[in-house]
Amino acid sequence: ETGVTQSPTHLIKTRGQQVTLRCSSQSGHNTVSWYQQALGQGPQFIFQYYREEENGRGNFPPRFSGLQFPNYSSELNVNALELDDSALYLCASSVQGAPDTQYFGPGTRLTVL
Amino acid sequence: ELKVEQNPLFLSMQEGKNYTIYCNYSTTSDRLYWYRQDPGKSLESLFVLLSNGAVKQEGRLMASLDTKARLSTLHITAAVHDLSATYFCAAASSNDYKLSFGAGTTVTVRA
């Protein structure tokens, strides 16, 4: 198992609500990336955080936002939830500049009703 | 934009036989990753390939990278039931931080 943890494990929300997902990096890792994996598909990059700032973003609307804290943990916030937001949300921590250090957490399964 | 294609998408393997999964990517990439995912679980890192000609092996799995052909392969030797899972490849370029994933290859190993 990796040292990356995520909470909660599962979450059920209704359309229009807001949700916050959390990720704790593996010890020594300073970069966190978030991915969305819809059922039966490959993960899609949402954004990455390094030194508490967004370091790149995929094709996701502004209602997807994030934070990184001084201890390198991170949050993913999604506002105005839509049915299509139902997915497995994965965070991956790594050391900036060391591509072979990236490890994924167990994921949060979000269901939007 | 870096695009990654895997084939086949579904692979039914017979125990004891050898198979190959192919991963093509569209633009220059200097990092190629292979992951395994069991149903309802996260991604388990299998291999990271960082240079042309790189070959890595772990047990019955061997991965290789040909950056000139923009192709990586995952070879499975003498398939066993425990290898049933979905396998993803992902690529990234040196000036990009995000991983672009293929659609995945769902492997089922039958007796």
Side-chain angles (χ1 to χ4, degrees), chain B residues 62-110:
Chain B
M62 183 175 71
S64 65
L65 178 62
D66 181 346
T67 58
K68 294 180 181 178
R70 296 178 185 165
L71 170 68
S72 180
T73 59
L74 180 66
H75 188 72
I76 299 170
T77 302
V80 293
H81 180 72
D82 285 353
L83 293 179
S84 296
T86 298
Y87 294 84
F88 289 96
C89 67
S93 56
S94 58
N95 59 353
D96 201 354
Y97 30 74
K98 68 179 183 182
L99 297 185
S100 296
F101 281 82
T105 297
T106 299
V107 168
T108 304
V109 181
R110 65 187 191 281

Side-chain angles (χ1 to χ4, degrees), chain A residues 16 42 52-53 70 89 108 111:
Chain A
E52 302 178 48
E53 292 188 358
Y89 288 84
T108 294
T111 302

Side-chain angles (χ1 to χ4, degrees), chain A residues 27-101:
Chain A
S27 177
H29 286 189
N30 55 16
T31 302
V32 174
S33 303
W34 286 91
Y35 290 81
Q36 180 196 66
Q37 186 179 21
L39 197 61
Q41 298 181 23
Q44 299 292 316
F45 176 76
I46 304 175
F47 44 54
Q48 183 186 86
Y49 277 83
Y50 172 58
R51 291 184 175 176
E52 302 178 48
E53 292 188 358
E54 188 178 286
N55 189 40
R57 189 178 185 93
N59 295 325
F60 282 82
R63 60 189 184 85
F64 285 78
S65 63
L67 286 172
Q68 187 182 31
F69 300 99
N71 66 354
Y72 306 125
S73 66
S74 177
E75 287 183 353
L76 165 64
N77 299 289
V78 187
N79 294 323
L81 283 167
E82 301 176 359
L83 296 180
D84 285 349
D85 295 334
S86 295
L88 179 67
Y89 288 84
L90 298 164
C91 78
S93 77
S94 60
V95 176
Q96 191 68 218
D100 57 341
T101 65

Side-chain angles (χ1 to χ4, degrees), chain B residues 14-87:
Chain B
Q14 188 173 349
E15 277 189 339
K17 293 195 173 180
N18 302 333
Y19 297 88
T20 301
I21 300 171
Y22 298 89
C23 175
N24 290 91
Y25 52 93
S26 61
T27 63
T28 301
S29 170
D30 59 359
R31 288 180 277 152
L32 197 294
Y33 300 76
W34 284 96
Y35 293 93
R36 168 182 171 142
Q37 187 174 43
D38 292 297
K41 303 294 185 181
S42 186
L43 299 172
E44 174 191 352
S45 179
L46 295 175
F47 302 107
V48 182
L49 303 169
L50 300 176
S51 61
N52 186 41
V55 177
K56 290 194 175 181
Q57 183 166 3
E58 180 74 32
R60 300 176 186 276
L61 302 179
M62 183 175 71
S64 65
L65 178 62
D66 181 346
T67 58
K68 294 180 181 178
R70 296 178 185 165
L71 170 68
S72 180
T73 59
L74 180 66
H75 188 72
I76 299 170
T77 302
V80 293
H81 180 72
D82 285 353
L83 293 179
S84 296
T86 298
Y87 294 84

